[in-house]
Amino acid sequence: MSSEDVVAIINVINLYGLAMDSQRWDLFDRIYTKDADVDFGGASHWTDLAKFKADFEAFHTPFDATQHLMAGHVVDVNGDTAKAFVYGYWRLLRRGVDGGEFWEGSGWYDDALVRTKDGWRIAKRVCRVTWWAGNPLVQEVFPEVKFSMTGTSPRTEARAGRLGFLR
């Protein structure tokens, strides 16, 4: 495992936060494969990058500001494939919402990556919320789009054999 690969993978993961907060959905082309399997829980699951980008743009446009932080990166490279696990923290601000203007949460991302001719890309991502606070109405911009907020921990997922990084 080369340190250059690890740094490149961490950069891809961190680019996700910048793409989210700048609402530069074109950056997803530098983060994900075109057929990435992206699972945010519940009905929030995509296997088509164009649809994922369009849905995230529509969902995030109403926010006045967002902040996504990625931390605690763990990366394991095996040739042209890699696994990564990272914790995320996010805050969403939408002014004028009854009951408070922010919703924040923390969770984790369990990624499988592949080396492409253009660099490392996420081929599979599982994201789960561990905790949240604030006004949940802030993130309910579309009633039909619900992110799973059941609060699942890496411990629970590891015990159940569902944490890809540990497989």
Side-chain angles (χ1 to χ4, degrees):
M1 173 166 58
S2 86
S3 60
E4 290 153 4
D5 285 332
V6 172
V7 168
I9 289 167
I10 290 172
N11 276 340
V12 166
I13 292 168
N14 289 342
L15 184 58
Y16 170 79
L18 178 60
M20 297 293 291
D21 297 335
S22 65
Q23 294 196 2
R24 289 280 311 277
W25 311 114
D26 59 303
L27 293 175
F28 276 20
D29 296 328
R30 293 174 41 196
I31 300 167
Y32 296 98
T33 61
K34 289 190 183 323
D35 61 347
D37 182 345
V38 183
D39 178 359
F40 275 65
S44 301
H45 195 155
W46 297 266
T47 55
D48 176 85
L49 183 57
K51 175 77 170 135
F52 178 49
K53 288 168 31 176
D55 287 353
F56 261 50
E57 179 176 9
F59 180 80
H60 288 86
T61 295
F63 299 121
D64 294 294
T66 63
Q67 184 178 37
H68 290 75
L69 304 173
M70 314 304 273
H73 303 78
V74 182
V75 177
D76 182 28
V77 178
N78 185 7
D80 290 335
T81 64
K83 298 184 287 186
F85 183 88
V86 65
Y87 290 100
Y89 169 82
W90 48 89
R91 180 172 268 210
L92 312 176
L93 173 69
R94 191 160 58 108
R95 292 184 179 88
V97 178
D98 289 339
E101 297 182 334
F102 81 91
W103 181 81
E104 63 187 335
S106 181
W108 47 270
Y109 300 88
D110 187 17
D111 296 334
L113 298 97
V114 295
R115 186 190 318 264
T116 72
K117 66 179 179 59
D118 297 315
W120 287 99
R121 299 291 185 268
I122 297 170
K124 180 171 179 53
R125 167 165 275 181
V126 173
C127 174
R128 295 294 183 262
V129 174
T130 302
W131 68 266
W132 61 271
N135 182 0
L137 295 177
V138 168
Q139 59 88 35
E140 289 189 14
V141 296
F142 298 113
E144 67 277 9
V145 176
K146 299 277 190 199
F147 290 97
S148 176
M149 305 213 315
T150 57
T152 185
S153 72
R155 175 181 59 203
T156 301
E157 296 300 295
R159 285 182 181 161
R162 292 187 298 260
L163 200 60
F165 186 85
L166 296 177
R167 277 190 246 142

